[in-house]
Amino acid sequence: MADESSAESRGILDGFGAYRTARPDHHRDLLARGLVVLDTDTLLSLYRCTPQARSDLLGALRRTRGRLWVPHQVLADFWRRREAALSEAEQATARAARALRKAEEQAVRGLRSWADRVSLGPEELPVLERVLRDAHEHVVARLTEATRQEAAVDTEEDPVVADLDGLLFGRVGDPLPPEEHRAALAEAAGRDRDRVPPGGEGDYLVWRQVLAEAARRGRDVLLVTGETAEGWWRLDEHGNARGPRPELYEELREVAGVRLFTMRPDAFLRHAHELLGPVVREESVDDVERALRQANTSALQVLAFNFVEVFLTRDLIPDYHSGDGHVVLRAGDAGGRRRAFLVDPPFAEPNASVKWVARLVRTHTETGGDDVVVFPDRPGDRVLDGLANLGIPVMWPVGDHWAGSDPARERGWVTA
């Protein structure tokens, strides 16, 4: 009878609350009475936004200042990663300048080849070459100028540091005592082995501090995170973030008796605009989304700039398209198109990664095209075997060179 009574008292959402769709009234209650937790990527996104978007995001956060809280580990990660975030623009400029120089030389070679075929007068070719080189020089100079305008400043002059200091004063958690910190690191290692989210020491320390603060306050938690990987989010089959990880939702319910909600900073801006009043410009929402996408694809952008050389050695200049978790380089005509899919799948599970990559490639498949998938590092054997079974070539960098699977070598993407 006890078992029957227990079964009768449960509903279809008991134990599955993470799957419930958050409604406007949930968001309104969270912004009015919940615990709004900011992660490191949200704080660092302030460096990647336009000044207008940064002002709007800070303004929206000030409207919820009484509910804001930041785990100590988030700030530890913020200070550890701040200088790298500040240097991103300079590094991107250097990579873009190198790519432009390569494209310039390719364009000059094409011009000279054309001049030979049409018997261009000897006095005209140097003029046209100069026009090409001057155009590239102008673009590179403009990129460098824009980068200098956004140059890193010391902490005493950094407006982001000043704004965050005022916004978060008195709203930062304490570090774990030394013994608890050591115990938490051991727990993180165990959870990582057992594949219990969130993964990694830093993320678990953040989660441990969130659990403790939520239990102390007894309030629902809204985690504003720029992360889109499966450590925090429940992802659908396309890798889209749909809500908090069910394991985290249930753990918070068990430890603190409250609910967990997750939201990206651009969604936070949009909801703040709708629920707190017209404090945000629509273009700022778009810019924050762009900044987060840039942060999440920065490693792929580096990979893309390096992989351009593979196209240039084939006398091809690719165009560039970026999306969530991938960058596509494409060159050639329809029917003979060569494409490189530079990927960072949001799934840790190999089968899910294979399905995600295969779906991405199929989406862009063209008859007669030649595709290759490029990973930032050598993927695991299960991923390699899964993609090889689907006939998808795979490459990855090894120092200054490129390695690849048998299909990649057979199709000529990898040469000795």
Side-chain angles (χ1 to χ4, degrees):
M1 292 294 295
D3 290 341
E4 291 179 7
S5 174
S6 174
E8 290 174 358
S9 67
R10 295 183 65 83
I12 65 170
L13 286 170
D14 290 312
F16 302 95
Y19 294 89
R20 183 192 294 271
T21 300
R23 309 298 297 174
D25 57 317
H26 296 141
H27 297 142
R28 185 177 293 105
D29 187 65
L30 282 166
L31 295 179
R33 288 178 288 276
L35 178 63
V36 180
V37 179
L38 309 181
D39 80 338
T40 305
D41 286 279
T42 299
L43 301 184
L44 291 175
S45 70
L46 296 169
Y47 286 111
R48 303 180 180 108
C49 297
T50 63
Q52 172 183 300
R54 181 165 62 234
S55 174
D56 283 351
L57 180 54
L58 286 166
L61 291 171
R62 291 189 187 99
R63 295 286 294 273
T64 60
R65 187 170 182 267
R67 274 75 66 197
L68 285 182
W69 184 76
V70 174
H72 183 272
Q73 184 63 34
V74 164
L75 277 192
D77 291 337
F78 168 81
W79 285 110
R80 178 177 56 83
R81 295 169 54 189
R82 171 181 173 270
E83 292 182 2
L86 284 167
S87 66
E88 282 179 6
E90 183 177 350
Q91 293 171 0
T93 298
R95 293 193 298 268
R98 288 197 297 271
L100 285 168
R101 296 297 186 199
K102 292 177 181 177
E104 175 187 342
E105 294 305 319
Q106 180 75 8
V108 169
R109 287 199 298 270
L111 176 63
R112 290 173 179 171
S113 176
W114 170 81
D116 289 341
R117 287 193 177 94
V118 300
S119 300
L120 186 69
E123 72 283 352
E124 292 186 69
L125 180 59
V127 174
L128 292 178
E129 282 191 20
R130 187 69 262 162
V131 170
L132 268 176
R133 295 190 184 281
D134 285 348
H136 280 83
E137 194 66 38
H138 174 75
V139 173
V140 170
R142 182 65 189 93
L143 291 177
T144 304
E145 178 187 357
T147 303
R148 280 199 300 265
Q149 292 173 354
E150 296 292 330
V153 294
D154 65 46
T155 57
E156 297 302 313
E157 299 177 356
D158 186 343
V160 172
V161 169
D163 286 330
L164 288 177
D165 189 35
L167 178 70
L168 301 178
F169 184 78
R171 290 171 171 78
V172 177
D174 294 326
L176 294 174
E179 289 188 9
E180 286 188 34
H181 184 84
R182 286 191 292 271
L185 294 181
E187 290 172 15
R191 290 170 69 115
D192 208 37
R193 282 194 306 272
D194 297 334
R195 299 179 64 182
V196 178
E201 292 181 354
D203 283 350
Y204 178 66
L205 290 174
V206 170
W207 181 237
R208 173 81 172 258
Q209 293 165 13
V210 169
L211 289 172
E213 189 67 14
R216 186 180 74 84
R217 298 199 191 193
R219 296 180 181 274
D220 287 344
V221 173
L222 171 61
L223 176 62
V224 182
T225 172
E227 286 274 3
T228 55
E230 62 175 345
W232 296 105
W233 293 90
R234 173 176 60 85
L235 304 180
D236 65 15
E237 61 178 359
H238 301 291
N240 299 313
R242 293 303 186 191
R245 282 290 295 256
E247 302 94 324
L248 300 181
Y249 184 97
E250 294 304 323
E251 186 175 4
L252 187 66
R253 289 284 287 181
E254 181 179 347
V255 171
V258 298
R259 298 174 296 175
L260 174 65
F261 297 82
T262 47
M263 191 179 291
R264 285 168 54 84
D266 52 317
F268 174 83
L269 259 183
R270 186 174 291 108
H271 288 301
H273 176 73
E274 295 171 354
L275 301 175
L276 302 178
V279 297
V280 174
R281 287 158 282 206
E282 185 61 34
E283 55 268 31
S284 293
V285 178
D286 296 337
D287 186 67
V288 171
E289 182 182 14
R290 176 201 57 75
L292 292 168
R293 188 167 58 249
Q294 171 190 339
N296 291 330
T297 62
S298 59
L300 293 181
Q301 290 170 347
V302 174
L303 188 65
F305 278 113
N306 292 333
F307 199 80
V308 163
E309 185 65 32
V310 176
F311 282 87
L312 294 180
T313 57
R314 293 166 170 79
D315 291 330
L316 296 171
I317 301 178
D319 58 29
Y320 173 102
H321 168 76
S322 65
D324 288 338
H326 73 274
V327 168
V328 180
L329 297 177
R330 182 184 64 174
D333 299 323
R337 191 113 52 206
R338 298 179 72 92
R339 276 183 302 265
F341 296 88
L342 292 79
V343 301
D344 184 13
F347 299 99
E349 206 281 317
N351 288 337
S353 293
V354 170
K355 290 179 180 178
W356 183 87
V357 170
R359 188 180 299 109
L360 173 66
V361 173
R362 283 198 303 269
T363 300
H364 297 269
T365 295
E366 295 179 9
T367 302
D370 189 4
D371 300 333
V372 66
V373 171
V374 186
F375 286 83
D377 302 290
R378 184 187 187 279
D381 289 340
R382 289 175 60 189
V383 172
L384 284 174
D385 291 343
L387 293 175
N389 289 336
L390 296 173
I392 298 176
V394 177
M395 294 177 64
W396 58 89
V398 178
D400 295 330
H401 305 285
W402 298 94
S405 61
D406 289 340
R409 287 191 287 272
E410 291 166 2
R411 296 193 191 182
W413 280 101
V414 179
T415 57

